[in-house]
Amino acid sequence: MDDVTVQFPDEDLALVDRLAAERECGREEAIREAVRRGAGEELTRVALDRYRDGEIGMRGAASIAGTTIVDLLGEANDRDVLKNDDETRLAGDVEALR
């Protein structure tokens, strides 16, 4: 494990401290969990944005997000990213699932 030094504004540190208190854990554990969840969410957002913009297919988006195509299709559906009018892309995604 590498050590990383990060400076937080007071209001961000207060959020971390509240999270640590609610989770009944230390500040370091709260930060690690917040980074894991936040980075994972941001990777999913980036992947779906690139998919929506036609830069990559669902397979590439799933790779960026670090998840399966099936799980990312569920996220895309939940976030209204999937378009019914793009049959070519959808057909490619179905083929990728096979």
Side-chain angles (χ1 to χ4, degrees), residues 4-77:
V4 176
T5 301
V6 178
Q7 293 183 342
F8 286 95
D10 290 340
E11 55 273 4
D12 291 346
L13 195 54
L15 281 173
V16 168
D17 288 340
R18 283 181 38 217
L19 177 61
E22 290 298 324
R23 293 183 52 103
E24 298 178 355
C25 66
R27 186 184 272 176
E28 286 183 17
E29 185 178 337
I31 290 170
R32 279 193 292 272
E33 181 65 21
V35 167
R36 263 192 302 275
R37 288 179 186 245
E41 170 59 29
E42 186 63 11
L43 283 168
T44 297
R45 189 194 63 74
V46 166
L48 290 175
D49 284 350
R50 291 183 64 194
Y51 174 80
R52 180 180 28 244
D53 294 343
E55 295 174 28
I56 57 175
M58 187 56 68
R59 182 179 300 197
S63 177
I64 290 170
T67 190
T68 66
I69 293 171
V70 171
D71 287 343
L72 194 59
L73 280 169
E75 281 294 320
N77 187 51

